[in-house]
Amino acid sequence: VQLQASGGGLVQAGGSLRLSCAASGLTLSNYALGWFRQAPGEEREFVIAITWSGSTTYYADSVKGRFAISRDNAKNTVYLQMNSLKPEDTAVYYCAARSPHYTDSFYATGNYNYWGQGTLVTVSS
């Protein structure tokens, strides 16, 4: 099982990036999906998540209205669209997948079964 995140890079404040996370060895349409991030010297924090059915999306307050999550089941890929980026969005971003049967919080890192390797996003001021 592998989640391969990509799409990170350097962007100016106010710009946009789209991160991708391609899966192999598991079918993402069968999982709830999330993105987390970790800034230097900080703990990994929740960014956004979507339920298995796609009926509900959870947001960190800091990204609400700016970030969106989506999936392409045909490509077995989940995306993170980031708009209006700010320097405080600078971090390594990780995609994650969890069983749709979990009822625990979407916000906790411990409630995800699979993790990607991370991709670095740097937002310059």
Side-chain angles (χ1 to χ4, degrees), residues 43-99:
E43 293 187 352
R44 193 170 300 187
E45 67 173 7
F46 171 80
V47 176
I48 194 170
I50 189 168
T51 56
W52 160 74
S53 66
S55 61
T56 304
T57 301
Y58 300 87
Y59 300 88
D61 288 342
S62 59
V63 307
K64 199 172 297 183
R66 301 188 298 123
F67 289 14
I69 186 171
S70 63
R71 74 172 97 201
D72 185 332
N73 291 336
K75 295 183 178 180
N76 209 25
T77 299
V78 58
Y79 302 99
L80 175 63
Q81 178 66 45
M82 305 185 293
N83 300 324
S84 302
L85 283 161
K86 304 175 180 180
E88 52 263 43
D89 295 319
T90 295
V92 176
Y93 283 72
Y94 299 88
C95 55
R98 56 179 264 168
S99 167

